[in-house]
Amino acid sequence: MYDYSKAFRIDGKVALISGAARGIGAEIASALAQAGASVLVTDVVEGLAKEQVARLRKAGGKAEFIRHDVTIEADWAAAVAAAVQLFGGLDIVVNNAGIETAALISQCEVEDFRRVLDVNVTGVFLGVKHAIRTMAPGGAAGKGGSIVNMSSVAGIIGTTAHVAYHTSKGGVRLLTKAAAIECAQLGTGIRVNSIHPGIVGTDMGDNFIKHFVDLGLAPDLDSATAAIKGLHPMGFGKTDDVASAVLYLASNASKWVNGSELVIDGGLTAA
Ligand SMILES: NC(=O)c1ccc[n+]([C@@H]2O[C@H](COP(=O)([O-])OP(=O)(O)OC[C@H]3O[C@@H](n4cnc5c(N)ncnc54)[C@H](O)[C@@H]3O)[C@@H](O)[C@H]2O)c1
């Protein structure tokens, strides 16, 4: 009989989560640690990341931090090597780090556009590349595994004043599918999937709403919040809604799920 109680556990696995100092990434680190994994918390922000590691350890989890800018390839090589050295392997890589910028297309500076693509797309590409090198047969970990890429509903639908963000998250969606096919066809034992949350209450989620006021597209924060909340049939999401989805994709319960786009938005994109 298939053992469902074990299928959702990830005991003994090693997970690397980028952008895990706060917000969704920090919650993903908690979820994976609680489900049994050793977690390498990585971020460009050190103080908050170290506090998160301390919280995970206090709760009985195994956690370490390494400073890691996802746009720098040498940082990726060092991060995956650190996971193997500290915990003896690498099974799960969550490409979570991301940034946004808000501007009407006619006002969007090319430097801002490029920066968002650099972090959100090139950062994910490098994460997928180094995860495959490490987790595929012959790599330093070599046992296959699961890669989860953080896209957004913004990778499926558009909104005003976020052209760089939408472009980047659409890129993550298809980067994921290309990697999923390649990994399966080469027999790597690695699955690659993307997650597509609606608005979640984090620094980024709050700023997304505030930008509509800053740009004069909404009269005040209350009306901007009400308008954007109104698009979500079940209201805004929480970080644990997203972390639960990552845990599913990281675990053996999703062993036949590859190249999928898991939408977590309370019905926003169902309409
Ligand atoms: N909050 C939302 O409403 C929402 C919705 C859909 C998707 N997302 C996506 O979820 C992910 C996490 O978002 P969040 O809301 O927690 O954002 P956040 O801004 O609260 O946290 C993002 C983290 O990424 C880190 N980061 C930024 N640039 C980095 C870099 N170059 N290298 C390493 N780390 C870097 C930041 O320091 C920060 O700790 C992002 O990819 C975001 O696009 C968020």
Side-chain angles (χ1 to χ4, degrees):
M1 192 194 294
Y2 189 73
D3 189 344
Y4 292 94
S5 67
K6 287 205 180 111
F8 289 86
R9 295 283 312 174
I10 48 174
D11 297 286
K13 304 278 188 198
V14 179
L16 185 162
I17 305 122
S18 71
R22 60 186 162 196
I24 292 171
E27 190 65 27
I28 293 168
S30 296
L32 300 188
Q34 279 184 39
S38 302
V39 298
L40 184 58
V41 166
T42 84
D43 207 296
V44 285
V45 170
E46 297 198 17
L48 286 175
K50 286 178 178 167
E51 285 172 26
Q52 175 60 359
V53 165
R55 269 192 296 275
L56 296 175
R57 287 181 182 163
K58 199 171 172 197
K62 284 192 197 139
E64 296 283 351
F65 165 71
I66 183 168
R67 190 182 188 284
H68 167 212
D69 183 333
V70 295
T71 66
I72 298 174
E73 183 152 23
D75 278 16
W76 268 109
V80 294
V84 175
Q85 196 223 325
L86 290 164
F87 297 124
L90 184 63
D91 309 283
I92 300 156
V93 171
V94 185
N95 287 301
N96 167 77
I99 60 170
E100 61 128 7
T101 187
L104 295 174
I105 297 171
S106 57
Q107 308 297 320
C108 184
E109 300 292 346
V110 69
E111 292 78 15
D112 293 339
F113 187 88
R114 286 196 174 119
R115 178 68 191 154
V116 171
L117 262 68
D118 199 25
V119 175
N120 294 5
V121 181
T122 308
V124 174
F125 157 69
L126 289 172
V128 169
K129 174 179 173 179
H130 286 272
I132 292 171
R133 282 189 177 189
T134 309
M135 302 195 307
K143 291 188 294 182
S146 173
I147 301 172
V148 182
N149 296 331
M150 194 58 67
S151 180
S152 165
V153 291
I156 302 171
I157 57 171
T159 52
T160 297
H162 290 90
V163 63
Y165 190 69
H166 285 290
T167 306
S168 71
K169 293 301 185 181
V172 170
R173 179 172 166 266
L174 278 179
L175 190 164
T176 299
K177 292 184 194 300
I181 292 292
E182 188 171 308
C183 282
Q185 288 184 342
L186 295 180
T188 60
I190 299 170
R191 298 179 294 106
V192 194
N193 293 285
S194 58
I195 299 240
H196 300 258
I199 295 281
V200 174
T202 63
D203 290 354
M204 184 188 287
D206 295 347
N207 284 333
F208 184 86
I209 297 169
K210 191 171 158 291
H211 287 148
F212 284 96
V213 184
D214 297 342
L215 292 169
L217 297 168
D220 53 52
L221 200 54
D222 284 348
S223 48
T225 304
I228 295 167
K229 196 170 188 176
L231 298 173
H232 293 70
M234 296 176 73
F236 293 139
K238 294 200 165 65
T239 54
D240 57 87
D241 294 315
V242 182
S244 299
V246 174
L247 173 56
Y248 165 67
L249 290 175
S251 75
N252 213 36
S254 62
K255 61 186 164 53
W256 202 47
V257 180
N258 189 32
S260 77
E261 43 192 277
L262 184 44
V263 175
I264 316 285
D265 69 352
L268 166 70
T269 52

